[in-house]
Amino acid sequence: FLRNGALFVAFFLLSFSSALAQDCGEPVEDFDNTSGSTAGFTGEFSLANAGSDGYLQKDRVIETAVYSITSPTYILPNNATSVTYGFDLNGTQEVSQITVKLVYRSTLNNEIIDVFLGQFTPTYDNGVAVECRNVMLGDLPGFPTGGQYRLRFEFTADGGSGAVGQTLTFDDF
């Protein structure tokens, strides 16, 4: 939840353990006015509804298929103690499972590693799942002070036969 590089707005430096229902604050990226780009996010989702109400969307969803989104690279301040992340999911199909990984260069082996942060089932209310979670940096092996990282999300579709208009959407990261 950064807007124009204001990292501290998006990733509150909380000193709580991994938890649900953190205050995620203002979105880092709402995909509005991105000049037709995905704002550095990569994966199977593409920009939809470019303009003042943009979002990322995966069309032609197939039940039990896994679709991913990887964030751009972020840098934490040296005094950070945790990373908080969140997003909204909706679309014509729902997600049955979300897997979250943090990708960074570990100080233990100087290699880029994917650290499993968790796997959970989103809770939908009126067709929208709002997720907000927190992870302590002390729980991440070899995470460097002021470290650079990316978040990788894998979404397992709960329905869909691959037809046009069967969608998953990702917004307000």
Side-chain angles (χ1 to χ4, degrees), residues 37-56:
S37 79
T38 60
F41 286 75
T42 59
E44 288 89 4
F45 288 64
S46 58
L47 183 66
N49 200 31
S52 64
D53 188 25
Y55 49 88
L56 297 184

Side-chain angles (χ1 to χ4, degrees), residues 48 90 97 109 119 139 144 152 162:
N90 59 17
Q97 182 174 279
N109 61 6
Q119 198 168 56
D139 295 337
R152 180 170 297 140

Side-chain angles (χ1 to χ4, degrees), residues 63-132:
E63 184 174 12
T64 71
V66 178
Y67 303 102
S68 69
I69 292 177
T70 301
S71 76
T73 300
Y74 297 109
I75 302 172
L76 282 178
N78 289 340
N79 63 348
T81 59
S82 66
V83 173
T84 299
Y85 60 91
F87 49 84
D88 296 351
L89 292 175
N90 59 17
T92 63
Q93 307 301 308
E94 292 187 352
V95 169
S96 62
Q97 182 174 279
I98 301 170
T99 300
V100 183
K101 298 176 184 177
L102 194 74
V103 182
Y104 62 93
R105 183 174 301 276
S106 175
T107 59
L108 301 177
N109 61 6
N110 201 31
E111 294 178 3
I112 295 174
I113 61 172
D114 289 15
V115 174
F116 176 79
L117 296 183
Q119 198 168 56
F120 57 93
T121 300
T123 302
Y124 285 84
D125 184 16
N126 292 321
V128 178
V130 178
E131 297 298 332
C132 183

Side-chain angles (χ1 to χ4, degrees), residues 20-44:
L20 278 175
Q22 299 296 321
D23 177 12
C24 282
E26 289 296 313
V28 172
E29 184 55 65
D30 61 10
F31 305 101
D32 298 346
N33 305 311
T34 61
S35 300
S37 79
T38 60
F41 286 75
T42 59
E44 288 89 4

